[in-house]
Coordinates of all heavy atoms in Angstrom, one line a residue:
N188 N 97.9 204.5 208.6 CA 97.5 203.7 207.5 C 96.6 204.7 206.7 O 95.5 205.0 207.1 CB 96.7 202.5 207.8 CG 96.3 201.7 206.6 OD1 96.4 202.2 205.5 ND2 95.9 200.5 206.8
P189 N 97.0 205.3 205.6 CA 96.2 206.3 204.9 C 95.1 205.8 204.1 O 94.4 206.7 203.4 CB 97.4 207.0 204.0 CG 98.3 205.9 203.7 CD 98.4 205.0 205.0
S190 N 94.8 204.6 204.1 CA 93.7 204.0 203.3 C 92.3 204.6 203.9 O 92.0 204.5 205.0 CB 93.6 202.6 203.4 OG 94.8 202.0 202.9
P191 N 91.6 205.3 203.1 CA 90.4 205.9 203.5 C 89.3 204.9 203.7 O 89.2 204.0 203.0 CB 90.0 206.9 202.3 CG 90.7 206.4 201.2 CD 91.9 205.7 201.7
L192 N 88.3 205.2 204.7 CA 87.1 204.4 204.8 C 86.0 205.2 204.3 O 85.3 205.9 205.0 CB 87.0 204.1 206.3 CG 88.1 203.3 207.0 CD1 87.9 203.3 208.5 CD2 88.0 201.9 206.4
W193 N 85.8 205.2 202.9 CA 84.8 206.0 202.3 C 83.4 205.8 202.8 O 82.6 206.7 203.0 CB 84.8 205.8 200.8 CG 86.1 206.2 200.2 CD1 87.2 205.4 199.7 CD2 86.6 207.5 200.0 NE1 88.2 206.1 199.2 CE2 87.8 207.5 199.3 CE3 86.1 208.7 200.2 CZ2 88.7 208.6 199.0 CZ3 86.8 209.9 199.8 CH2 88.1 209.8 199.2
D194 N 83.2 204.5 203.2 CA 81.8 204.2 203.7 C 81.4 204.8 205.1 O 80.2 205.0 205.3 CB 81.6 202.7 203.9 CG 81.7 201.9 202.6 OD1 81.7 202.5 201.6 OD2 81.9 200.7 202.7
A195 N 82.4 205.3 205.8 CA 82.1 206.0 207.1 C 82.3 207.4 207.0 O 82.3 208.1 208.0 CB 83.1 205.5 208.1
S196 N 82.3 208.0 205.9 CA 82.4 209.5 205.6 C 81.2 210.2 206.2 O 80.1 209.7 206.1 CB 82.6 209.9 204.2 OG 83.7 209.3 203.6
T197 N 81.3 211.4 206.9 CA 80.3 212.1 207.4 C 80.3 213.5 206.9 O 81.4 214.1 206.4 CB 80.2 212.2 208.8 OG1 81.5 212.7 209.3 CG2 80.1 210.8 209.5
L198 N 79.2 214.3 207.0 CA 79.1 215.6 206.4 C 78.7 216.7 207.6 O 78.1 216.2 208.5 CB 78.0 215.7 205.4 CG 78.2 214.9 204.2 CD1 76.9 214.9 203.3 CD2 79.4 215.3 203.4
S199 N 79.2 217.9 207.4 CA 78.8 218.9 208.4 C 78.8 220.2 207.7 O 79.2 220.4 206.6 CB 79.8 219.0 209.6 OG 81.1 219.3 209.2
A200 N 78.0 221.1 208.3 CA 77.9 222.5 207.8 C 78.3 223.6 209.0 O 77.9 223.3 210.1 CB 76.6 222.8 207.2
S201 N 78.9 224.6 208.6 CA 79.2 225.7 209.6 C 78.7 227.1 209.2 O 78.9 227.4 208.0 CB 80.7 225.8 209.9 OG 81.1 224.5 210.5
L202 N 78.2 227.9 210.1 CA 77.9 229.3 209.8 C 78.9 230.0 210.7 O 78.9 229.9 211.9 CB 76.5 229.6 210.1 CG 76.2 231.1 209.9 CD1 76.4 231.5 208.4 CD2 74.7 231.4 210.2
L203 N 79.8 230.8 210.1 CA 80.9 231.4 210.8 C 80.9 232.9 210.8 O 80.4 233.4 209.7 CB 82.3 230.9 210.2 CG 82.5 229.4 210.1 CD1 83.6 229.0 209.1 CD2 82.7 228.9 211.5
I204 N 81.4 233.5 211.9 CA 81.5 235.0 211.8 C 83.0 235.3 211.5 O 83.9 234.6 212.2 CB 81.0 235.7 213.1 CG1 79.6 235.4 213.4 CG2 81.4 237.0 213.1 CD1 79.1 235.7 214.7
N205 N 83.3 236.1 210.6 CA 84.7 236.3 210.3 C 85.2 237.5 211.1 O 84.7 238.6 211.1 CB 84.8 236.7 208.8 CG 84.3 235.5 207.9 OD1 84.3 234.4 208.3 ND2 84.0 235.9 206.7

Side-chain angles (χ1 to χ4, degrees):
N188 180 349
S190 301
L192 297 169
W193 296 107
D194 293 348
S196 301
T197 57
L198 301 173
S199 64
S201 300
L202 178 61
L203 305 163
I204 298 172
N205 300 338

